[in-house]
Amino acid sequence: MKLITHNMLTSKCLKGVVTGYPLAIHATDVKINEVDFNPEFVTRIIPKLDWEVLWKAAQSIGHGEGLPQVIQPKYEEDSEFLKKAHRVLLEVEVEEGYLTCPESGRQFPITKGIPNMLLTEAEVQ
Amino acid sequence: MKLKTLEGHLGSISGFSKPKIQLEQYETPAHIAAVALYTIQTQYSSIEDKLVLDAGCGPGMLSVGAALLGAGTVVGVDIDDNAIEVLKDNIEDIELTNVDAVLCDFLSPNLLKWNNYFDTVLMNPPFGTKNNVGMDMKFLRMGLDLTSDSVFSLHKSSTRSHIQKKVKEWNAKGTVIAELKYNLPATYKFHKQQTRDIAVDLWRIHH
């Protein structure tokens, strides 16, 4: 699971959960997969994200070094920043671990890089 | 990448290990996937450098194809753990690093936080027959909510007027951008013929 994917996942459909976001990450295995650097793509994705959630997620799995907590104005001209954002968003992958709903504590296992967000019927709103 | 090369790559990936009729799992043939993706890229520039969602990705025919055509990132989602595992194996075999996968029910509300987040949504949804009546329209509606641009989706040509009506109801725009022949091999026991040609439309639906 890449952090770009983590950034958009919620557990809001759980019964009784209001926001279900962000999901906490507990990672037991993290790997880096190189992806071609495409500054235009990264620049375009950044405003769509919840940056603070990305920053916290990166910190929580030990890959947040050098990543600013707040996006700077004119970030699109800062290629060092874009490279770091690229790495954290697209290259860092959680292979094993679990995600936790911030309200209910429900855990969603991550196995072989795939988060399992399936719910039982009884769990759904 | 040339169309023939794309089709060649897609022809070599693994399909469903255990197809499930309740999910209406039929493999997207490599030829259909290649022609559809090639059309989407060359006519609409909707794949290269784009953030792409493959809804109901199965073993990943469209995900892998979009990744090969240079998508920025592809996120494949499916409700079937066997299918997602095959997708994962496929992307590892071809050494693609721009594909991510999530095991989930695409139709569960709010699973993905933001509307209009993806540049492009691709789908070859369940046809909506057997016990799944209306499933194809639910997929389409959800896809439309999640894209800032277009959903590209494969549907039986026999459902064309129904889709036109729905698209109108949603105040969206939709056109059939290609007509294809889906050579459906006998996947399940109730199939009497070995293969059957089904006319399929590639739709582009957008806001």
Side-chain angles (χ1 to χ4, degrees), chain A residues 1-2 4-5 7-10 12-13 19 21 33-35 38 41 44-45 48-50 90 93 112-118, chain B residues 49-51 72-73 75 79 84-85 88 97-105 108-114 116-119 148:
Chain A
M1 181 194 68
K2 297 177 192 285
I4 189 177
T5 302
N7 207 270
M8 59 186 148
L9 287 178
T10 88
K12 194 178 172 178
C13 37
T19 318
Y21 186 82
N33 273 325
E34 270 187 42
V35 179
N38 180 339
F41 179 67
R44 219 161 44 76
I45 294 306
K48 295 182 178 227
L49 300 164
D50 186 323
L90 305 176
E93 298 209 20
K112 291 188 199 161
I114 306 165
N116 178 352
M117 303 302 295
L118 292 176
Chain B
D49 298 338
K50 300 298 181 192
L51 180 59
T73 301
V75 180
I79 200 168
I84 286 270
E85 267 175 39
K88 200 73 186 170
T97 55
N98 53 343
V99 183
D100 215 5
V102 180
L103 177 60
C104 64
D105 179 355
S108 65
N110 304 306
L111 180 81
L112 301 175
K113 188 165 175 64
W114 296 293
N116 309 331
Y117 184 73
F118 291 90
D119 297 312
S148 60

Side-chain angles (χ1 to χ4, degrees), chain B residues 7-201:
Chain B
E7 188 175 336
H9 281 296
L10 294 180
S12 68
I13 73 170
S14 308
F16 287 109
S17 51
K18 302 170 196 159
K20 295 177 182 134
I21 184 59
Q22 71 273 24
L23 298 175
E24 285 193 285
Q25 290 176 331
Y26 296 98
E27 272 155 30
T28 315
H31 175 68
I32 295 262
V35 171
L37 292 165
Y38 204 73
T39 306
I40 294 165
Q41 175 54 30
T42 52
Q43 292 189 17
Y44 300 94
S45 305
S46 290
I47 292 182
E48 196 177 344
D49 298 338
K50 300 298 181 192
L51 180 59
V52 176
L53 176 72
D54 180 2
C57 60
M61 194 59 88
L62 295 175
S63 293
V64 168
L68 288 169
L69 287 179
T73 301
V74 183
V75 180
V77 303
D78 204 285
I79 200 168
D80 178 23
D81 55 345
N82 295 131
I84 286 270
E85 267 175 39
V86 179
L87 163 72
K88 200 73 186 170
D89 290 342
N90 281 330
I91 59 184
E92 273 168 20
D93 287 350
I94 316 178
E95 297 181 350
L96 292 168
T97 55
N98 53 343
V99 183
D100 215 5
V102 180
L103 177 60
C104 64
D105 179 355
F106 173 63
L107 297 178
S108 65
N110 304 306
L111 180 81
L112 301 175
K113 188 165 175 64
W114 296 293
N115 279 352
N116 309 331
Y117 184 73
F118 291 90
D119 297 312
T120 302
V121 176
L122 304 174
M123 57 175 77
N124 181 10
F127 280 147
T129 52
K130 292 272 164 191
N131 305 317
N132 290 324
V133 175
M135 190 67 98
D136 48 345
M137 290 301 121
K138 287 184 192 162
F139 262 69
L140 212 46
R141 178 67 250 187
M142 184 65 102
L144 191 59
D145 288 340
L146 291 171
T147 182
S148 60
D149 192 275
S150 302
V151 181
F152 295 93
S153 184
L154 292 162
H155 297 270
K156 280 188 191 173
S157 300
S158 58
T159 61
R160 193 180 294 181
S161 60
H162 180 61
I163 294 175
Q164 264 158 350
K165 201 177 104 204
K166 282 285 175 191
V167 167
K168 212 172 175 184
E169 271 175 37
W170 299 335
N171 282 320
K173 300 180 189 82
T175 37
V176 174
I177 60 169
E179 295 180 40
L180 305 157
K181 277 263 183 297
Y182 197 124
N183 183 249
L184 194 69
T187 309
Y188 299 107
K189 280 188 181 144
F190 65 84
H191 289 154
K192 294 192 180 68
Q193 291 155 295
Q194 221 35 45
T195 62
R196 196 155 71 97
D197 272 343
I198 295 179
V200 169
D201 292 338

Side-chain angles (χ1 to χ4, degrees), chain A residues 57-122:
Chain A
Q59 300 295 328
S60 76
I61 59 171
H63 283 271
E65 203 180 324
L67 198 70
Q69 192 168 359
V70 180
I71 304 173
Q72 304 302 311
K74 296 199 181 166
Y75 69 87
E76 66 275 13
E77 294 167 13
D78 182 350
S79 69
E80 280 311 302
F81 163 75
L82 292 177
K83 277 181 193 156
K84 276 176 196 147
H86 165 82
R87 188 169 185 82
V88 165
L89 273 171
L90 305 176
E91 296 193 323
V92 172
E93 298 209 20
V94 180
E95 281 295 294
E96 300 288 331
Y98 54 85
L99 300 169
T100 309
C101 167
E103 289 161 60
S104 66
R106 163 76 149 87
Q107 292 181 350
F108 301 93
I110 304 168
T111 317
K112 291 188 199 161
I114 306 165
N116 178 352
M117 303 302 295
L118 292 176
L119 303 172
T120 63
E121 259 177 51

